[in-house]
Amino acid sequence: MLANQTAPDTAETAPERFDFVVVANRLPVDRIAGPDDKPQWQRSPGGLVTALAPVMQSADGAWVGWHGAPDEELAAFSHSDMHLVPVRLSSEDVELYYEGFSNSTLWPLYHDVIVPPEFHRTWWERYKRVNARFAEAAARTAAPGATVWVQDYQLQLVPRLLRESRPDLRIGFFNHIPFPSPEIFAQMPWRRIVLEGLIGADLIGFQRPSDASNFLRSVRRFNGYTVKGPAVQLTDDDDRPARTCRAEAHPISIDSRTVAELAQDPAIIERSIQIRAELGNPTTILLGVDRLDYTKGIRHRLKAYGELLADRQLAVGDACLVQVASPSRESVADYMQLKDQVELTVGGINGEYDTMSHTAVRYLHHSYPQREMVALYLAADIMLVTALRDGMNLVAKEFVAAHADLRGVLVLSEFTGAADQLKQAVLVNPHDIDGLKAGIMNAVNMPGQEAARRMRLMRRQVLQNDVARWSDTFLGSLNSGAEEPAEPVAVGGEA
């Protein structure tokens, strides 16, 4: 348990306190080499930083997180009008808490056991220890009555730890990945403790109503709490009503207006034309943009595309698949194996179907800056998002935001959170290879007028519900303590 942080500090030891505190595994900055190779910080790309930076600047905010380098201790510092509080992680912490429990236990478990999760007590013990470290840093940083927003699956024990040490705080938690059904979550040896950690929050946000429902069903089944609508009813030591913890769907989004503005930049438009020329000006460019992760369905996508070439429904020269697969967790065995499998599949397709002038698959194992990504979106005719399980998938929304020209078709897995919102996409089940092939050909052959109608409706949704609205809606619900969820949440019976 944390030491109580509400007692006044002495003048000599009093830390700076803030009314709004974000707690995340990583700080919102990256260290780069500046002039004369002197290290300096730059703001990280990504929707979460974009959403929360203005809130922090206007609400006297601080961000608690790891700065990315193990075995290094840094003092708190400021950057871009944000106060940053680094949490130290050792190399062993990274191995056991992050690569181990977070990414080899929780990640596969929460993504429907696409890869079997591993349950190791040493990983769990380190996860608890590191979560306590983050909670202590947040408790030291939060002013009396502050709002603390904890982010994602790496820090699920932090809300309870904060509640015990700082009952004066208003605590929110957002789960950026799916939450599994109780039947899958049941495998977790420490399931009750994880759930107790989460219900330390006043409000827990999920990407989809089904995720919120899964959480509420698990709390009722494994911890025995009473659940009424979206709220877990909590009692004190004398079994009297004490407070509630609400679970709501708050689907995250992107900085859609920035993407839309970049798509109007003449230099980026020219780059998109250049990309098509470099690919030999095929009739149809299909695009996949993913982290190299087994949840993204890259192998299913390649299999479907390879079969379409074999069936002669598509032909190299008329069609080209560009697959961007940014490096991810390359020290984890499952990811190393996936990299080998994807590269072997790409090599097989290209060896079979490439011509002297055209390639079947242009495979790019890199990360690219935002301007280049927008140029790729503009160059593409069809976006393939074939995730086997995804909390949201922001690439799908970026593709839509980029196409003010209303050109292009989105082929979208029904197992993504984005499928709840982008209903005019060509929705597919990526496990069904024949169905996936049919979806791709539907996109290839879709009349321009129909594609434009679908894109117009999707763009309206993405532009109206941007990442700023996501953060405003979540924080508004957290601070109002409203009893009604942002979206309806149905809690079904147990299987």
Side-chain angles (χ1 to χ4, degrees):
M1 185 179 294
L2 300 174
N4 192 302
Q5 297 291 331
T6 57
D9 298 289
T10 65
E12 291 77 18
T13 63
E16 195 170 0
R17 300 289 188 94
F18 296 86
D19 294 326
F20 179 63
V21 178
V22 173
V23 189
N25 181 64
R26 288 295 300 270
L27 288 175
V29 291
D30 298 317
R31 187 158 46 189
I32 61 171
D36 302 322
D37 289 328
K38 291 182 179 178
Q40 62 183 38
W41 300 98
Q42 70 175 11
R43 198 168 96 172
S44 304
L48 183 63
V49 182
T50 300
L52 296 184
V55 181
M56 298 184 70
Q57 291 162 2
S58 63
D60 187 24
W63 191 303
V64 174
W66 178 45
H67 67 283
D71 302 311
E72 181 182 39
E73 189 140 8
L74 294 181
F77 63 100
S78 294
H79 184 273
S80 298
D81 297 325
M82 293 186 289
H83 186 79
L84 305 179
V85 181
V87 174
R88 182 183 183 276
L89 294 184
S90 68
S91 297
E92 193 174 58
D93 290 332
V94 174
E95 177 187 354
L96 301 179
Y97 144 80
Y98 182 71
E99 294 176 355
F101 196 79
S102 294
N103 291 325
S104 294
T105 300
L106 294 174
W107 181 269
L109 183 72
Y110 283 31
H111 286 87
D112 289 357
V113 198
I114 296 168
V115 166
E118 299 179 45
F119 303 108
H120 299 296
R121 286 170 289 179
T122 53
W123 292 358
W124 166 245
E125 291 300 324
R126 188 58 58 101
Y127 184 81
K128 289 194 296 182
R129 190 185 310 173
V130 171
N131 270 242
R133 201 177 306 157
F134 276 86
E136 288 164 0
R140 289 195 305 268
T141 305
T147 295
V148 179
W149 194 359
V150 185
Q151 305 290 330
D152 223 359
Y153 65 104
Q154 301 96 341
L155 302 175
Q156 293 177 105
L157 307 183
V158 170
R160 174 65 178 268
L161 295 168
L162 279 175
R163 176 72 55 195
E164 291 175 343
S165 72
R166 293 290 306 274
D168 61 301
L169 300 177
R170 186 168 292 275
I171 302 167
F173 183 92
F174 190 81
N175 198 63
H176 292 259
I177 66 174
F179 197 89
S181 69
E183 293 73 30
I184 290 177
F185 191 70
Q187 297 177 42
M188 167 72 75
W190 309 282
R191 60 200 185 194
R192 292 188 62 191
I193 303 173
V194 169
L195 293 171
E196 290 288 349
L198 288 168
I199 61 176
D202 297 290
L203 173 65
I204 306 173
F206 296 93
Q207 302 282 21
R208 311 180 81 168
S210 58
D211 295 322
S213 176
N214 285 341
F215 167 77
L216 292 169
R217 291 171 61 208
S218 291
V219 167
R220 184 173 62 190
R221 175 171 168 178
F222 301 122
N223 294 53
Y225 288 111
T226 298
V227 174
K228 294 184 178 179
V232 181
Q233 308 290 320
L234 301 167
T235 58
D236 60 19
D237 292 339
D238 296 321
D239 205 30
R240 293 175 300 189
R243 65 179 188 88
T244 61
C245 167
R246 288 174 293 123
E248 299 179 353
H250 287 272
I252 198 170
S253 192
I254 61 169
D255 184 4
S256 50
R257 299 204 178 276
T258 294
V259 174
E261 289 169 2
L262 286 172
Q264 302 296 317
D265 186 323
I268 292 178
I269 294 172
E270 180 61 32
R271 174 59 183 148
S272 73
I273 296 170
Q274 182 184 10
I275 289 171
R276 290 192 74 96
E278 290 171 352
L279 295 170
N281 285 313
T283 304
T284 304
I285 295 177
L286 302 99
L287 175 64
V289 176
D290 312 87
R291 282 192 310 105
L292 189 56
D293 190 289
Y294 50 76
T295 65
K296 301 300 183 182
I298 299 172
R299 289 181 297 167
H300 298 65
R301 181 183 315 160
L302 290 170
K303 181 174 179 60
Y305 178 69
E307 289 189 10
L308 288 171
L309 293 175
D311 298 342
R312 298 188 179 181
Q313 296 187 64
L314 294 177
V316 172
D318 291 333
C320 177
L321 170 61
V322 178
Q323 177 61 59
V324 178
S326 57
S328 176
R329 302 169 189 165
E330 294 187 294
S331 61
V332 177
D334 288 324
Y335 290 79
M336 292 187 284
Q337 181 180 7
L338 175 65
K339 180 174 182 290
D340 291 342
Q341 292 169 340
V342 168
E343 291 176 353
L344 184 65
T345 303
V346 169
I349 293 173
N350 285 341
E352 183 75 19
Y353 299 106
D354 273 9
T355 68
M356 286 294 188
S357 55
H358 295 90
T359 188
V361 182
R362 182 65 58 86
Y363 178 69
L364 306 165
H365 185 48
H366 309 289
S367 296
Y368 288 95
Q370 187 179 34
R371 291 178 65 85
E372 183 73 359
M373 290 310 308
V374 173
L376 276 168
Y377 296 144
L378 289 177
D381 301 288
I382 297 170
M383 185 86 212
L384 301 178
V385 177
T386 58
L388 307 179
R389 191 79 163 93
D390 214 338
M392 177 52 60
N393 195 283
L394 299 180
V395 165
K397 294 188 175 185
E398 289 176 350
F399 176 76
V400 168
H403 277 281
D405 56 7
L406 304 183
R407 188 183 60 81
V409 182
L410 173 64
V411 176
L412 180 63
S413 167
E414 64 190 55
F415 303 117
T416 66
D420 285 359
Q421 301 173 295
L422 304 180
K423 298 181 185 297
Q424 293 76 29
V426 177
L427 297 178
V428 295
N429 174 359
H431 298 281
D432 175 9
I433 299 300
D434 287 336
L436 178 53
K437 289 163 62 180
I440 292 172
M441 293 310 301
N442 181 9
V444 170
N445 296 319
M446 186 175 291
Q449 187 174 2
E450 174 65 10
R453 182 190 70 82
R454 292 176 180 234
M455 184 63 76
R456 182 182 295 109
L457 292 171
M458 290 191 292
R459 289 193 84 250
R460 182 183 305 162
Q461 208 285 336
V462 170
L463 290 172
Q464 289 177 351
N465 297 283
D466 64 2
V467 72
R469 183 170 181 179
W470 166 76
S471 61
D472 289 346
T473 302
F474 181 92
L475 291 171
S477 182
L478 172 62
N479 289 314
S480 69
E483 290 297 324
E484 293 299 320
E487 294 188 27
V489 174
V491 183
E494 302 302 341

